[in-house]
Amino acid sequence: MTDEFNTEMYYDDDADESYLANATVAVLGYGSQGHAHALNLHDSGVDVVVGLRESSASREAAKADGLEVATPVEAAARADVVSMLVPDTVQPAVYEQIEPELEDGNTLQFAHGFNIHYNQIQPPEHVDVTMIAPKSPGHLVRRNYENEQGTPGLLAVYQDATGDAKGRALAYGKGIGCTRAGVVETTFREETETDLFGEQAVLCGGIAELIKVGYETLVDAGYSPEMAYFECMNEMKLIVDLMYEGGLGAMWDSVSDTAEYGGLTRGDDVIDDQVRANMETVLEQVQNGEFATEWIAENQAKRPVYTQLNQAEKNHEIEEVGERLRDLFAWAEAETEDEEETDDEQPRVQAD
């Protein structure tokens, strides 16, 4: 642990594997996170059973990976730890099925706090409720584990009925490889609200809109779509990789002085006070539950807005231009060959 930050950090030495030594973990779902958690725990020596509905297309995949498979209710009935890794929108219905199987001292484990924080799942008082949330897509959680590396994660305890909730959660985090890199302690509220805000304002919504508007601005001014794509989409990865490796400082140190001066003097012309105000509105809608209520209602209505916007995104010109250009890159053929050679080893990322 370290006291350099306001939050606690935990590593392998802080995690006691004995908390799961005689426990059975039911991993409900075998999508992006589910397959990674189940396989990593299994390879760490934990007794794992995967809970999937009988019609799930993932049942054969999980069995082929050497895992035991049961229905969610059957898996929960056997388990000491129930890890809810089906999609957020499905979790309340699955929880309703498995809730009668939760016994005193069991742990209800999450990788995202949405349904607990917004009261879509209200667990009984006699169980621990914890979170270990890898800050990475599931296929990288699995890949890092197999490469004897770690994936940073978050730890939160919502309810500690046994007094051992944090210890068991850390053991779970070690089992999936997160404590190799480091686990940061947080709360269900903080994880949920920062995660939703980050996705909407920056990581998914903000960046996607910035790229599209930059592309449209160049094309509308008469520049070729190919050049607009390279400048606003293709080079984004190069810049983000620099930030990931060494923060903003590493990025500024790596680009040209011209790029640095232009970015420093023009960046806040684009992300101005109005954008800041818009971000505050997005955050407020997350904090007060407006977004959660909207998203729950959207799913209950069979996702009409989601479907329309998703299709519009797929039909944007930048997608067609990008697909055509990526097929022309010299490395495209090599990557295709690599994928064909390792197809049987690729993680399953479908949702269940």
Side-chain angles (χ1 to χ4, degrees):
M1 289 184 289
T2 177
D3 296 325
E4 293 181 41
F5 302 98
N6 293 328
T7 54
E8 296 284 0
M9 285 284 292
Y10 299 90
Y11 301 95
D12 274 353
D13 289 344
D14 301 305
D16 184 351
E17 296 167 293
S18 67
Y19 280 102
L20 292 180
N22 299 307
T24 296
V25 176
V27 174
L28 306 188
Y30 205 64
S32 178
Q33 290 293 331
H35 93 278
H37 289 224
L39 289 170
N40 291 3
L41 288 167
H42 178 266
D43 290 352
S44 294
V46 178
D47 182 28
V48 175
V49 56
V50 178
L52 296 168
R53 66 187 188 277
E54 292 183 348
S55 61
S56 171
S58 295
R59 289 178 72 93
E60 291 306 314
K63 290 178 182 178
D65 288 336
L67 298 171
E68 184 178 357
V69 179
T71 67
V73 172
E74 292 168 342
R78 288 180 43 194
D80 303 284
V81 177
V82 178
S83 189
M84 298 288 289
L85 295 176
V86 294
D88 288 338
T89 53
V90 178
Q91 282 186 17
V94 173
Y95 175 77
E96 186 175 349
Q97 296 173 14
I98 63 99
E99 193 274 337
E101 308 302 330
L102 297 176
E103 300 178 350
D104 290 358
N106 284 174
T107 296
L108 194 59
Q109 159 70 28
F110 292 86
H112 181 38
F114 185 97
N115 283 301
I116 292 291
H117 180 55
Y118 293 117
N119 297 312
Q120 298 306 294
I121 291 177
Q122 300 183 38
E125 295 181 356
H126 59 77
V127 301
D128 292 341
V129 182
T130 61
M131 181 197 309
I132 290 291
K135 299 308 292 179
S136 168
H139 71 279
L140 291 180
V141 176
R142 179 59 179 163
R143 184 187 304 169
N144 287 342
Y145 181 94
E146 291 180 305
N147 291 336
E148 299 185 351
Q149 299 172 346
T151 300
L154 303 178
L155 158 73
V157 175
Y158 178 79
Q159 186 167 284
D160 188 2
T162 66
D164 293 328
K166 182 183 288 188
R168 185 174 274 183
L170 281 171
Y172 184 101
K174 186 172 185 177
I176 65 172
C178 284
T179 54
R180 294 176 181 177
V183 172
V184 181
E185 189 165 11
T186 184
T187 65
F188 270 66
R189 172 183 175 272
E190 185 175 56
E191 184 277 335
T192 301
E193 294 181 357
T194 57
D195 185 72
L196 292 176
F197 172 81
E199 291 168 349
Q200 295 169 24
V202 181
L203 303 176
C204 301
I207 287 178
E209 285 303 309
L210 190 65
I211 289 171
K212 288 187 296 183
V213 172
Y215 172 89
E216 292 166 359
T217 299
L218 286 175
V219 171
D220 289 347
Y223 298 99
S224 71
E226 292 79 9
M227 286 302 299
Y229 177 87
F230 274 118
E231 290 301 324
C232 298
M233 173 75 89
N234 189 70
E235 292 196 32
M236 178 66 72
K237 181 184 185 306
L238 309 178
I239 296 299
V240 171
D241 282 350
L242 292 170
M243 294 178 181
Y244 177 83
E245 292 167 5
L248 294 175
M251 184 272 290
W252 291 128
D253 287 344
S254 298
V255 301
S256 69
D257 291 348
T258 305
E260 183 176 9
Y261 178 77
L264 291 171
T265 59
R266 301 303 193 270
D268 57 7
D269 287 342
V270 177
I271 309 300
D272 59 11
D273 288 342
Q274 183 58 54
V275 175
R276 292 175 185 272
N278 292 340
M279 284 192 173
E280 290 172 359
T281 298
V282 169
L283 179 57
E284 182 179 354
Q285 291 171 346
V286 167
Q287 292 172 324
N288 65 20
E290 182 178 340
F291 170 77
T293 300
E294 177 185 323
W295 178 228
I296 292 166
E298 175 72 9
N299 281 277
Q300 291 172 342
K302 308 300 183 184
R303 300 189 174 188
V305 175
Y306 170 92
T307 302
Q308 181 181 4
L309 294 176
N310 179 267
Q311 190 59 50
E313 191 79 352
K314 291 178 180 178
N315 292 338
H316 193 283
E317 181 183 288
I318 198 172
E319 291 291 82
E320 184 275 326
V321 172
E323 183 177 2
R324 177 162 47 82
L325 281 175
R326 289 190 298 271
D327 286 342
L328 297 176
F329 292 161
W331 42 256
E333 183 175 349
E335 280 199 353
T336 300
E337 292 175 354
D338 289 342
E339 289 172 0
E340 290 175 351
E341 291 175 1
T342 60
D343 182 61
D344 291 340
E345 301 175 4
Q346 295 303 306
R348 282 78 174 175
V349 297
Q350 68 269 23
D352 261 289

